[in-house]
Amino acid sequence: QKGTNPLIDSYSAFFDNTGMQGSGSTGLKEMVKGSTEVVVVGLAMDYCVGYTSLHSLELGYPTTLLRDMTRPVKIQTGEDMLAMVREGGGQVTTWNSWRKELEDWQRAKDVAEFFIANSGVLESMSMLTTIALVAFALII
């Protein structure tokens, strides 16, 4: 539930703007548990879309922001947010590029390598899933 408290802003789909680490959960974190990627679109790039992307990365998910499926409030703050997402390890691309990558084995390898590199994600995964990802990455 995003934005249910009229006294607190909620830029991220994961957490409200209390400023306290881990507080104000919207429930999305629990909903996406076990996902292999979070793809973020909507309004506005420099606020809700951007902060949702950053929080997704902080939670250890490979995250893609589709820049042609969102718009910023201001052009410069939008570009600044895209840079922050990239610096945080997120992918910024377009819908067509992302869709084409789904057909590419390299995309699967990149996602597997992301999971392997992020031990916090591996700790929450089952051992069988972890072994499968490691084996998959080694085969490719």
Side-chain angles (χ1 to χ4, degrees), residues 9-133:
D9 288 330
S10 295
Y11 292 148
S12 170
F14 286 99
F15 306 105
D16 65 26
N17 293 1
T18 61
M20 298 168 51
Q21 186 73 13
S23 70
S25 175
T26 63
L28 183 60
K29 176 182 172 183
E30 291 75 20
M31 290 175 62
V32 300
K33 187 176 182 179
S35 297
T36 57
E37 180 178 22
V38 173
V39 179
V40 188
V41 301
L43 294 174
M45 177 193 298
D46 38 358
Y47 293 98
C48 300
V49 172
Y51 285 107
T52 298
S53 298
L54 293 172
H55 284 152
S56 177
L57 290 163
E58 288 172 13
L59 293 170
Y61 291 104
T63 302
T64 301
L65 188 156
L66 300 180
R67 73 174 298 145
D68 59 339
M69 303 294 281
T70 183
R71 295 289 181 267
V73 172
K74 294 180 181 176
I75 292 173
Q76 186 56 55
T77 55
E79 290 301 317
D80 293 346
M81 182 57 77
L82 293 177
M84 289 171 58
V85 170
R86 284 185 191 105
E87 289 167 9
Q91 179 181 11
V92 175
T93 189
T94 63
W95 159 251
N96 283 329
S97 293
W98 179 78
R99 185 174 49 100
K100 288 175 186 173
E101 287 176 4
L102 290 177
E103 300 168 5
D104 184 1
W105 279 103
Q106 182 61 43
R107 180 78 177 139
K109 181 181 176 189
D110 292 344
V111 170
E113 287 174 350
F114 182 96
F115 275 120
I116 292 166
N118 289 279
S119 61
V121 173
L122 288 177
E123 291 169 8
S124 67
M125 296 171 60
S126 72
M127 186 55 124
L128 182 58
T129 303
T130 303
I131 292 168
L133 283 173

